Amino acid sequence: MAGPALTRSATISCPHGGQVQAVPSQIRAKAGDPILTSSDGFTIAGCTFTLPSGTPSPCLSVTWLVADTRVKAGAATLSSSDTGLCMNGQNAAQGPVTVVATQERVKTR
């Protein structure tokens, strides 16, 4: 995929309003802030999703299914058009991540 590179300061959320926090594994490749890769840690805070039974099932992490194929910074970089799934505590997918905002200057693919 191609698009603006995701950085540590990108605003990313789960489909239920939880905020994604990224921990970059590398700090050398930057577009203002370190560029994120598919091997970075992504945690989600503030997700309020509840199963129809009433059991809380918040999104806790992100698993990236599609990452950039031509650009690497130790691992495949991530751009705003890549696909990630939000996962609950049992590692079940609960919907796609949403990139709300990122820098526009550096593009990857």
Side-chain angles (χ1 to χ4, degrees), residues 25-26 36-40 67-68 71-78:
S25 58
Q26 64 81 36
L36 300 177
T37 70
S38 58
S39 66
D40 293 342
D68 297 334
V71 180
K72 295 191 184 296
T77 58
L78 296 171

Side-chain angles (χ1 to χ4, degrees), residues 10-21 44-45 59 62 84 86 95-101:
T11 304
I12 307 169
S13 64
C14 79
H16 318 104
Q19 296 302 305
V20 177
Q21 294 294 319
I44 302 172
C59 297
V62 176
C86 299
V97 295
T98 301
V99 177
V100 179

Side-chain angles (χ1 to χ4, degrees), residues 58-74:
C59 297
L60 299 175
S61 64
V62 176
T63 297
W64 293 93
L65 303 177
V66 176
D68 297 334
T69 56
R70 291 188 164 200
V71 180
K72 295 191 184 296

